[in-house]
Amino acid sequence: MKVGIIGAGRIGKVHAKNISMFVPEMEIKTIADPFMDEQTEAFAKKYKIAKVTKDAKEIINDPEIEAVLICSSTDTHSGYIIEAAKAGKHIFCEKPIDYDLKKVREAIDTAKKAGVKFQIGFCRRFDHNHHAVYKMVRDGKVGKVNIIKISSRDPQPPAIDYVKVSGGIFYDMMIHDFDMARFLAGSEVTEVNAVGSVLVDPLIGEAGDVDTAVVTLKFKNGAIGVIDNSRKAVYGYDQRVEVFGSKGCARNENDIPHTAVLFDEKGTCCENTYKIMWDRYTDAFVAEMQAFADAVGNDSETPVTGMDGLYPVLMAAAATKSLKEGRPVKISEVE
Amino acid sequence: MKVGIIGAGRIGKVHAKNISMFVPEMEIKTIADPFMDEQTEAFAKKYKIAKVTKDAKEIINDPEIEAVLICSSTDTHSGYIIEAAKAGKHIFCEKPIDYDLKKVREAIDTAKKAGVKFQIGFCRRFDHNHHAVYKMVRDGKVGKVNIIKISSRDPQPPAIDYVKVSGGIFYDMMIHDFDMARFLAGSEVTEVNAVGSVLVDPLIGEAGDVDTAVVTLKFKNGAIGVIDNSRKAVYGYDQRVEVFGSKGCARNENDIPHTAVLFDEKGTCCENTYKIMWDRYTDAFVAEMQAFADAVGNDSETPVTGMDGLYPVLMAAAATKSLKEGRPVKISEVE
Amino acid sequence: MKVGIIGAGRIGKVHAKNISMFVPEMEIKTIADPFMDEQTEAFAKKYKIAKVTKDAKEIINDPEIEAVLICSSTDTHSGYIIEAAKAGKHIFCEKPIDYDLKKVREAIDTAKKAGVKFQIGFCRRFDHNHHAVYKMVRDGKVGKVNIIKISSRDPQPPAIDYVKVSGGIFYDMMIHDFDMARFLAGSEVTEVNAVGSVLVDPLIGEAGDVDTAVVTLKFKNGAIGVIDNSRKAVYGYDQRVEVFGSKGCARNENDIPHTAVLFDEKGTCCENTYKIMWDRYTDAFVAEMQAFADAVGNDSETPVTGMDGLYPVLMAAAATKSLKEGRPVKISEVE
Amino acid sequence: MKVGIIGAGRIGKVHAKNISMFVPEMEIKTIADPFMDEQTEAFAKKYKIAKVTKDAKEIINDPEIEAVLICSSTDTHSGYIIEAAKAGKHIFCEKPIDYDLKKVREAIDTAKKAGVKFQIGFCRRFDHNHHAVYKMVRDGKVGKVNIIKISSRDPQPPAIDYVKVSGGIFYDMMIHDFDMARFLAGSEVTEVNAVGSVLVDPLIGEAGDVDTAVVTLKFKNGAIGVIDNSRKAVYGYDQRVEVFGSKGCARNENDIPHTAVLFDEKGTCCENTYKIMWDRYTDAFVAEMQAFADAVGNDSETPVTGMDGLYPVLMAAAATKSLKEGRPVKISEVE
């Protein structure tokens, strides 16, 4: 299966490398980026990508290419989805689909009508630790789900220029956790309440955003969820989930680079978790791409559908509104 | 120092036993309970308590008795506090002081005017694990506090008859966590938002209460807190706190009865945490009583003051209102 | 049941305190020590011990006293055992019974003929962690035992003057581990091979002893054991056992004072284990005394018999010979 | 750098795959195996290996090939080493070099005279966990090394036919641990004492081998080591090391596939460690090949030299003799 990658930034290159090393079913024919440069050309050569171009159309109009990976900036997602779908290509698109709910729906509808596979890049569903918790829940090990807790803290805040265009912490960062909450609960969220503060960097506040946020979720089935986000955890990329139910509780801890422990006069110490997303979610990026290849290859449903792309955006919209208005907001208010 | 204990129920007996075994500075002269029976008389004999009576007045009017432990039902607390304070006796009172804020304030004022020591039974402050987290926070190890998370889950819901008179989950159960949140944050709560569900037992819902609740807290200093409670955790008495700040994160785990681990074909397993509060907080009950003895003996401030008894009641009142009205409630609305 | 304690050193006082606080079946009538001083008299008063004396005979000849705790120096053990047994008193004796095997056997025989209960102070059998491993083994959780590993390291070497009279590391320190090995294996040791070094303090070497030793054990049933000892572990009192068998492996870790963990820029750290034996084995000392009281009270076999006192001395003798001669030594060579 | 691989069995294929995916400096030109079949040809095609052959000479005589990986059966190692060295090719050879010490020395000498790089496949030195312990030791975190403990247990015994030709547990299995002991101690072993039993499978005993063994090591610097091996650990591939020294203790635990933990009525359980060597040492196999490529590319010493290949064979010879003769054996006795 020949694929094209639109967007040769960090995430586009990670997918390209993973496909070339670990997904034998796929062959990257073309990588497109308006800012194509020598470094990317060298990258393409190293990973045996046949063609580089500044024009995404050369992917979309290439009849040999069966599937497209959309790794460009968020504002271009829905446009490329629609074009690719109309060209009959299967689509893998990075999250979020768009900040504009109308555009999100239009993209989903177009893909649906075109009958192409459509997968959203919520990579954490494929992480070995989170997935193990999910499997415990799905296998009934915790019984009926009562409480879901998610901690998700970045090691460093992004650059202020990025913060300004990011859509805010709920669209940019917590959107992964909104997806994780739905994934773990097996039920839809009906209401959110957001609390936020500027505790990490006043510039984030000046940019109109918060850097620390706690959001509570009500699920249709009565379960309650709570997500906490911080833009800065000095000890690393902190990513834990906990699902508490009638029969037990499933929790995961962060990965650490090794299991060695030192016992000395000062105490008992081991290494911190990873500080870089790519180190932490190495296996997840490979697994999501393999899953996409499988869905296309076996003509089966993708594990993260277009609708799975829509709901977290609704939750982000409701959380944004909740924070602004200081009250719980129903998902139905933003639909 | 001679002391009297009003109320010979479970908690009264625990304090009596602890004093007799571990607090050499104190000698229990009298224990009073309107339902005094043979079993309690035998208990008193075993722990060398000189006198048993049905009438708390025999403690309050006894000039030899310097300090009173009020371990009777909540509705009698404020009355006994006022009487004991007027009689010039130092007071240790179980939580909560009262559900009625006016009575709480009156009790505090009376004790203050009388110049007696006044300590509230928020025993968890003295737990070795929670206290170690507190010490890390106080010693600046986590830097500025940004997020506080508390999980507090009981192994079994109380009897429905108790639920009906308990004042609700916020006054009865989460009040400990409200205290813990203030203790760890070193800042006052300004607003709470409560979410609750009946997921454990429909009878609890019929009794007008919830059995699962998540409350978010806004602190004056911008920090955010979140507490989750469940009336039933099948794996034991689950009591964990986490304080996340600018320099790090302090967390504790539950105690387990032993450190033995079995590795076999099925996996790697160790024992559950305790299922019984008295086993889990053994050391805390001893330590709080020792602290009370020290405060009286050294004429120093008690580590949990009357005002520390008031604030959690305010938080419980706000949480109750928030759950009912489906909106965040400021502490100032219930004061 | 009235008891007398011979020897008011550290361990005698620990037993006295534990009995007075936690073993209601026993009442200490007399405590005897040739170096009786004011401090011990004050101690006796505090714990309501009726009588203090310099003369152990006042215990042995007291018809009211049913049981004797022998907590004096090792060289006096067998003499007191024989006298107490002849006086018909039940006996709890600290380990080791004696360094001289003839005396050990004579003490055991006398106690047996007298028909008195006889328990040896191998307290670690009663430790919550070691006992949990033992229980897993006994319950068949690890299947047939193949390998037993014991690490036992002291936080600090004893004073050189003590080292000189201690009988050497095998009699003084590893004797506990010899007992533990037998306890866990459920089989007798047939051969030992000892390796030793002076790595902690050259003065220990000058005193004719080693401070670091590894001993391998062959058990009658084919299982293999290995014990490592060090006189100095800077991180605390390190006491771990591991039993590996056909169905699994049971291991324990050290206790730590609390479960709080700090995650910061430097890593993930928790507190060290205890540095003081009395802190580490608090519960074990209480449990062994309760077990002795039970054996006497119920006229049942003690959980650590005289023969259990003999075998570790045989193993120490064999290990001492093995180290000296640089070859494996059969237990039958030293019997 | 073009390389050839002699031996297309399991380990040869692992190296081939790893080079093709992760070691861009190397290109596999030829893979040779006397039992070359269609499956291996397909494998070669998939990983873009240009040439397959039954004749190792086609590698040794190929002037284009700079480096050779010797992954054939142990009895052929020294012969190929000598031929390859004489042909001026750098050599990576699987462990052990040979069971015959004369052949080992001849191979090492020939490689040395030829001036080619020579690396032995002691992959565990490159494992993230063991290496982290090594780094702590090397960085002085544990101070002077006093005791080294290594547990190494296989999930399943090999086939009996393999056991018969394996050279025995010390040459086949413990040889890795002998290397690890030297690696961690930074000192040579002077004497070993071996204890062994047949506890897993009587057929192993009939084949003249043991399946359970404990070996104590004396190091030149006074440190003491102990290694335990079992051919069957039902819970997985158990690989732990512990280095105890004057300043502390460094230990590692096994890797587990994920960090999820389930707390339910039965206890607290997580997943077992890996059962398959290739899963456990995935990163180690990649890292050792990268290290070999670096040594060749940078003309630097290999991290595991020919002499590092010799010493563990000496230790295996001494352990074999010790087990047979029931006494400690000095390394000088087998040199």
Side-chain angles (χ1 to χ4, degrees):
Chain A
M1 176 198 327
K2 286 197 163 64
V3 305
I5 299 178
I6 299 174
R10 186 71 208 245
I11 184 70
K13 285 198 175 102
V14 165
H15 289 316
K17 197 173 157 184
N18 283 339
I19 289 173
S20 115
M21 289 170 77
F22 300 108
V23 189
E25 299 90 332
M26 284 180 165
E27 186 193 323
I28 310 166
K29 184 177 174 188
T30 311
I31 189 162
D33 197 298
F35 305 103
M36 183 58 60
D37 56 12
E38 276 177 34
Q39 201 202 338
T40 300
E41 282 171 19
F43 173 89
K45 204 174 160 188
K46 180 172 173 191
Y47 290 100
K48 288 162 190 151
I49 300 172
K51 194 171 158 186
V52 300
T53 173
K54 291 190 174 185
D55 187 1
K57 291 244 163 72
E58 295 196 34
I59 287 172
I60 286 165
N61 296 334
D62 184 337
E64 261 199 353
I65 287 176
E66 272 184 77
V68 172
L69 275 61
I70 302 172
C71 307
S72 50
S73 63
T74 301
D75 59 306
T76 68
H77 285 178
S78 65
Y80 284 135
I81 292 168
I82 291 166
E83 288 179 43
K86 287 184 174 165
K89 304 202 182 316
H90 303 298
I91 300 159
F92 175 95
C93 181
E94 276 307 315
K95 60 91 222 173
I97 299 181
D98 202 290
Y99 303 134
D100 179 339
L101 280 161
K102 233 176 62 185
K103 286 189 181 173
V104 174
R105 292 187 195 278
E106 194 189 345
I108 294 172
D109 288 348
T110 311
K112 200 175 175 186
K113 273 180 204 147
V116 296
K117 303 292 166 199
F118 189 22
Q119 183 171 327
I120 310 303
F122 282 122
C123 57
R124 292 186 196 172
R125 292 190 178 204
F126 300 90
D127 170 64
H128 56 164
N129 298 329
H130 301 323
H131 199 270
V133 169
Y134 165 76
K135 202 172 167 309
M136 286 171 176
V137 175
R138 199 197 55 192
D139 292 352
K141 299 285 175 66
V142 308
K144 186 166 56 75
V145 173
N146 291 352
I147 298 174
I148 288 178
K149 294 179 76 172
I150 299 175
S151 275
S152 172
R153 300 166 190 160
D154 280 352
Q156 283 292 345
I160 285 299
D161 285 347
Y162 175 81
V163 169
K164 287 175 184 165
V165 300
S166 70
I169 197 169
F170 302 119
Y171 283 97
D172 178 58
M173 183 174 171
M174 201 180 278
I175 197 154
H176 273 296
D177 308 303
F178 289 143
D179 178 63
M180 185 56 61
R182 291 181 64 240
F183 179 58
L184 293 171
S187 174
E188 291 306 335
V189 166
T190 57
E191 188 180 305
V192 309
N193 186 65
V195 177
S197 272
V198 180
L199 300 169
V200 171
D201 185 350
L203 291 177
I204 294 176
E206 288 171 25
D209 203 358
V210 294
D211 51 37
T212 307
V214 173
V215 170
T216 44
L217 312 171
K218 285 188 191 174
F219 290 92
K220 201 175 268 178
N221 63 8
I224 304 171
V226 61
I227 300 167
D228 73 272
N229 271 192
S230 169
R231 285 292 196 182
K232 185 171 185 182
V234 296
Y235 53 93
Y237 193 46
D238 189 358
Q239 303 273 305
R240 288 169 287 137
V241 306
E242 173 171 345
V243 182
F244 168 76
S246 59
K247 287 190 185 167
C249 183
R251 288 158 52 184
N252 67 9
E253 279 297 322
N254 290 299
D255 281 326
I256 46 176
H258 60 75
T259 64
V261 179
L262 182 68
F263 303 77
D264 67 12
E265 277 185 310
K266 283 167 289 179
T268 301
C269 295
C270 65
E271 187 112 351
N272 271 334
T273 185
Y274 297 97
K275 293 221 169 171
I276 302 175
M277 183 178 66
W278 318 102
D279 292 342
R280 173 62 186 82
Y281 285 122
T282 307
D283 68 319
F285 285 112
V286 173
E288 74 170 352
M289 207 42 64
Q290 186 62 57
F292 180 55
D294 290 350
V296 173
N298 306 328
D299 192 19
S300 59
E301 182 56 289
T302 60
V304 196
T305 67
M307 292 308 278
D308 289 328
L310 171 64
Y311 281 104
V313 180
L314 286 170
M315 291 161 78
T320 306
K321 191 178 178 70
S322 169
L323 183 66
K324 194 177 291 172
E325 303 184 4
R327 64 171 182 92
V329 170
K330 290 194 163 44
I331 295 298
S332 57
E333 294 184 56
V334 296
E335 269 178 318
Chain B
M1 175 197 328
K2 287 197 165 61
V3 303
I5 299 178
I6 299 175
R10 186 70 208 246
I11 185 68
K13 286 197 176 103
V14 164
H15 289 316
K17 197 172 157 184
N18 284 338
I19 288 172
S20 115
M21 289 170 78
F22 302 108
V23 189
E25 298 91 333
M26 284 180 165
E27 187 194 324
I28 308 166
K29 182 176 175 190
T30 311
I31 188 161
D33 197 296
F35 305 102
M36 182 59 60
D37 57 12
E38 277 176 35
Q39 201 201 337
T40 300
E41 283 171 19
F43 172 90
K45 201 174 166 189
K46 178 171 174 192
Y47 290 100
K48 289 161 190 152
I49 300 173
K51 191 172 161 187
V52 298
T53 171
K54 291 190 175 185
D55 187 2
K57 291 242 162 75
E58 296 195 34
I59 288 171
I60 288 165
N61 296 335
D62 183 337
E64 258 197 355
I65 288 176
E66 273 185 77
V68 172
L69 275 60
I70 301 172
C71 306
S72 51
S73 61
T74 300
D75 58 306
T76 67
H77 286 177
S78 64
Y80 285 135
I81 292 167
I82 291 167
E83 290 180 41
K86 289 185 174 163
K89 303 200 182 314
H90 302 297
I91 300 161
F92 175 94
C93 181
E94 277 306 315
K95 61 91 220 168
I97 300 181
D98 201 292
Y99 304 134
D100 179 339
L101 281 161
K102 235 177 61 188
K103 287 188 179 171
V104 174
R105 292 188 195 278
E106 193 189 345
I108 295 171
D109 288 349
T110 312
K112 199 175 174 185
K113 273 180 207 147
V116 297
K117 304 292 167 198
F118 188 23
Q119 183 171 327
I120 311 301
F122 283 123
C123 56
R124 293 187 195 171
R125 292 190 178 205
F126 302 89
D127 170 64
H128 56 163
N129 298 328
H130 301 323
H131 199 270
V133 169
Y134 165 76
K135 201 171 169 306
M136 288 171 177
V137 175
R138 198 196 57 190
D139 291 352
K141 300 283 176 69
V142 307
K144 186 167 57 72
V145 173
N146 291 351
I147 298 175
I148 289 178
K149 294 179 75 173
I150 300 175
S151 274
S152 174
R153 301 166 191 160
D154 280 352
Q156 283 292 344
I160 284 298
D161 284 348
Y162 176 81
V163 169
K164 287 176 185 166
V165 300
S166 70
I169 196 168
F170 302 119
Y171 284 96
D172 178 58
M173 182 174 172
M174 201 179 280
I175 199 154
H176 273 296
D177 308 302
F178 289 143
D179 178 63
M180 185 55 60
R182 291 180 65 241
F183 180 57
L184 293 171
S187 175
E188 291 306 335
V189 167
T190 57
E191 187 181 304
V192 310
N193 186 66
V195 177
S197 271
V198 180
L199 299 169
V200 171
D201 184 351
L203 290 177
I204 295 177
E206 287 170 26
D209 202 356
V210 295
D211 51 38
T212 307
V214 173
V215 170
T216 45
L217 312 170
K218 285 189 193 173
F219 291 92
K220 202 175 266 180
N221 63 8
I224 304 171
V226 60
I227 299 167
D228 74 270
N229 271 191
S230 170
R231 284 290 194 182
K232 184 171 184 181
V234 295
Y235 52 93
Y237 194 46
D238 189 358
Q239 304 273 306
R240 290 169 287 138
V241 307
E242 172 171 345
V243 182
F244 168 77
S246 58
K247 287 190 183 167
C249 183
R251 290 158 49 186
N252 67 11
E253 280 296 324
N254 290 299
D255 282 326
I256 45 175
H258 60 74
T259 65
V261 179
L262 182 69
F263 303 76
D264 67 11
E265 279 185 309
K266 284 167 288 178
T268 301
C269 295
C270 66
E271 188 113 350
N272 271 333
T273 183
Y274 297 97
K275 293 220 169 172
I276 301 175
M277 183 178 67
W278 317 102
D279 291 343
R280 172 63 186 84
Y281 285 122
T282 307
D283 67 319
F285 286 112
V286 173
E288 72 170 353
M289 206 44 62
Q290 185 62 56
F292 179 57
D294 290 350
V296 173
N298 306 330
D299 191 19
S300 58
E301 180 58 286
T302 61
V304 197
T305 65
M307 290 309 276
D308 290 327
L310 170 65
Y311 281 104
V313 179
L314 286 169
M315 291 161 79
T320 305
K321 190 179 179 69
S322 169
L323 182 67
K324 193 177 292 173
E325 302 184 5
R327 64 170 184 93
V329 169
K330 291 195 163 43
I331 296 298
S332 58
E333 295 182 57
V334 296
E335 271 178 319
Chain C
M1 179 197 326
K2 284 197 164 62
V3 302
I5 300 179
I6 299 175
R10 186 71 207 247
I11 184 69
K13 286 199 176 101
V14 165
H15 289 315
K17 196 172 158 185
N18 284 338
I19 289 172
S20 114
M21 289 169 80
F22 301 108
V23 189
E25 298 90 334
M26 285 180 164
E27 187 193 324
I28 309 167
K29 181 176 177 190
T30 311
I31 189 162
D33 197 296
F35 305 103
M36 182 58 61
D37 58 10
E38 276 179 34
Q39 201 201 337
T40 300
E41 283 172 19
F43 172 90
K45 200 174 164 189
K46 179 171 174 192
Y47 290 100
K48 290 163 188 150
I49 300 172
K51 192 171 162 187
V52 297
T53 172
K54 291 190 175 187
D55 186 1
K57 291 242 164 73
E58 295 197 33
I59 287 172
I60 286 165
N61 297 333
D62 185 336
E64 257 197 357
I65 287 176
E66 272 184 77
V68 171
L69 275 60
I70 302 173
C71 307
S72 50
S73 61
T74 301
D75 58 307
T76 66
H77 285 179
S78 63
Y80 285 136
I81 292 168
I82 290 166
E83 290 180 40
K86 287 183 176 165
K89 303 203 182 315
H90 303 296
I91 300 160
F92 175 95
C93 180
E94 274 307 315
K95 59 89 220 170
I97 299 182
D98 201 291
Y99 303 135
D100 179 339
L101 281 163
K102 234 177 62 187
K103 286 189 182 171
V104 174
R105 289 188 198 277
E106 194 190 343
I108 295 173
D109 287 349
T110 312
K112 201 174 173 184
K113 273 179 205 147
V116 297
K117 303 293 166 199
F118 188 22
Q119 183 171 327
I120 311 302
F122 283 123
C123 57
R124 293 187 196 171
R125 292 190 179 204
F126 301 90
D127 170 62
H128 56 163
N129 298 328
H130 302 323
H131 199 271
V133 170
Y134 165 75
K135 203 171 166 309
M136 287 173 177
V137 175
R138 200 195 56 192
D139 292 351
K141 297 285 176 66
V142 307
K144 186 166 58 71
V145 172
N146 291 351
I147 298 173
I148 288 178
K149 295 179 76 173
I150 300 176
S151 276
S152 173
R153 301 167 190 159
D154 280 353
Q156 283 292 343
I160 284 299
D161 285 346
Y162 175 81
V163 169
K164 287 175 184 165
V165 300
S166 70
I169 196 168
F170 301 120
Y171 284 96
D172 178 57
M173 183 175 172
M174 202 180 278
I175 198 155
H176 273 296
D177 308 301
F178 290 142
D179 178 62
M180 185 54 62
R182 291 179 65 240
F183 180 57
L184 293 171
S187 175
E188 290 306 334
V189 167
T190 58
E191 187 181 306
V192 310
N193 186 66
V195 178
S197 273
V198 180
L199 300 168
V200 171
D201 185 351
L203 290 177
I204 294 176
E206 288 170 24
D209 202 357
V210 295
D211 52 36
T212 307
V214 173
V215 170
T216 43
L217 312 170
K218 284 189 193 173
F219 290 92
K220 202 174 267 179
N221 62 9
I224 304 171
V226 60
I227 299 168
D228 73 271
N229 271 191
S230 169
R231 284 292 196 182
K232 185 171 184 182
V234 296
Y235 53 93
Y237 193 45
D238 190 357
Q239 303 273 306
R240 290 168 286 138
V241 306
E242 172 171 345
V243 182
F244 168 76
S246 58
K247 287 191 185 165
C249 184
R251 290 159 49 186
N252 68 10
E253 280 297 323
N254 290 300
D255 281 327
I256 45 175
H258 60 74
T259 66
V261 179
L262 181 69
F263 303 76
D264 67 10
E265 277 185 309
K266 284 167 288 179
T268 302
C269 296
C270 66
E271 187 114 350
N272 272 333
T273 183
Y274 297 97
K275 296 221 167 172
I276 302 174
M277 184 178 64
W278 318 102
D279 292 343
R280 172 63 186 81
Y281 285 121
T282 308
D283 67 320
F285 286 112
V286 173
E288 71 171 354
M289 207 42 63
Q290 185 61 57
F292 179 57
D294 290 349
V296 174
N298 306 329
D299 191 19
S300 57
E301 180 57 288
T302 60
V304 197
T305 66
M307 291 308 277
D308 290 327
L310 170 65
Y311 281 104
V313 179
L314 287 170
M315 292 162 78
T320 304
K321 190 179 180 71
S322 170
L323 183 67
K324 193 177 292 172
E325 304 183 4
R327 64 170 183 92
V329 170
K330 289 196 164 43
I331 296 298
S332 57
E333 296 183 55
V334 296
E335 269 178 318
Chain D
M1 176 197 328
K2 285 197 164 62
V3 304
I5 299 177
I6 298 175
R10 187 70 207 244
I11 184 71
K13 286 197 176 104
V14 164
H15 288 317
K17 198 173 155 182
N18 283 339
I19 289 173
S20 115
M21 290 169 76
F22 300 109
V23 189
E25 298 91 332
M26 285 181 167
E27 185 193 325
I28 308 165
K29 184 177 175 189
T30 310
I31 189 163
D33 198 298
F35 306 102
M36 183 57 60
D37 58 10
E38 276 178 35
Q39 202 202 335
T40 301
E41 283 172 19
F43 173 88
K45 203 174 161 189
K46 181 171 173 191
Y47 289 101
K48 287 162 192 152
I49 300 172
K51 193 171 158 187
V52 298
T53 173
K54 291 190 173 184
D55 187 1
K57 291 242 161 74
E58 294 196 34
I59 287 172
I60 287 166
N61 296 334
D62 185 337
E64 262 198 354
I65 287 176
E66 272 184 77
V68 172
L69 275 61
I70 301 173
C71 306
S72 50
S73 61
T74 301
D75 58 308
T76 68
H77 285 178
S78 65
Y80 284 136
I81 291 167
I82 290 167
E83 289 179 42
K86 287 184 173 165
K89 302 202 183 316
H90 303 296
I91 298 160
F92 176 94
C93 181
E94 277 305 315
K95 60 93 221 169
I97 299 182
D98 201 289
Y99 304 134
D100 179 340
L101 281 162
K102 234 177 62 187
K103 287 190 181 172
V104 174
R105 290 188 196 278
E106 195 191 343
I108 294 171
D109 287 349
T110 312
K112 200 175 176 185
K113 274 179 203 147
V116 297
K117 303 293 167 200
F118 189 22
Q119 183 171 328
I120 311 302
F122 283 123
C123 57
R124 292 187 196 171
R125 291 191 181 205
F126 301 90
D127 170 65
H128 56 165
N129 298 328
H130 301 323
H131 199 271
V133 170
Y134 165 77
K135 203 173 167 306
M136 288 171 175
V137 176
R138 199 195 56 192
D139 292 353
K141 299 283 176 66
V142 307
K144 185 166 58 71
V145 173
N146 291 352
I147 298 174
I148 289 178
K149 294 179 77 174
I150 300 176
S151 275
S152 173
R153 300 166 190 160
D154 280 353
Q156 282 292 342
I160 285 298
D161 285 347
Y162 176 82
V163 169
K164 288 175 184 165
V165 300
S166 70
I169 196 169
F170 301 119
Y171 284 96
D172 179 58
M173 184 174 169
M174 202 180 279
I175 197 153
H176 273 295
D177 307 302
F178 290 143
D179 178 63
M180 185 54 62
R182 290 180 64 240
F183 180 58
L184 294 171
S187 175
E188 291 305 334
V189 167
T190 57
E191 186 181 305
V192 310
N193 185 67
V195 177
S197 273
V198 180
L199 300 168
V200 171
D201 185 350
L203 291 177
I204 294 176
E206 289 171 25
D209 203 358
V210 295
D211 51 37
T212 306
V214 173
V215 171
T216 44
L217 312 170
K218 285 189 191 171
F219 291 92
K220 201 174 267 178
N221 63 7
I224 304 172
V226 60
I227 300 168
D228 73 272
N229 271 193
S230 169
R231 285 290 195 182
K232 185 170 183 181
V234 296
Y235 53 92
Y237 193 48
D238 189 357
Q239 304 274 305
R240 288 169 287 137
V241 307
E242 172 169 344
V243 182
F244 168 77
S246 58
K247 287 191 185 165
C249 183
R251 288 158 51 185
N252 68 9
E253 280 296 323
N254 291 298
D255 281 326
I256 44 173
H258 60 75
T259 64
V261 179
L262 181 69
F263 303 75
D264 67 12
E265 278 185 309
K266 283 167 289 179
T268 301
C269 296
C270 66
E271 187 113 351
N272 271 333
T273 184
Y274 297 97
K275 294 221 169 172
I276 301 175
M277 182 178 66
W278 317 104
D279 291 343
R280 173 63 186 82
Y281 285 123
T282 307
D283 68 319
F285 286 111
V286 173
E288 73 170 352
M289 207 44 62
Q290 185 62 56
F292 180 56
D294 290 351
V296 174
N298 306 330
D299 192 18
S300 58
E301 181 57 287
T302 60
V304 196
T305 67
M307 292 308 278
D308 290 327
L310 172 63
Y311 280 104
V313 179
L314 287 169
M315 292 161 78
T320 305
K321 192 178 179 69
S322 169
L323 183 66
K324 194 176 291 170
E325 304 183 4
R327 63 172 183 91
V329 170
K330 289 194 162 46
I331 295 298
S332 58
E333 295 183 55
V334 296
E335 268 177 321

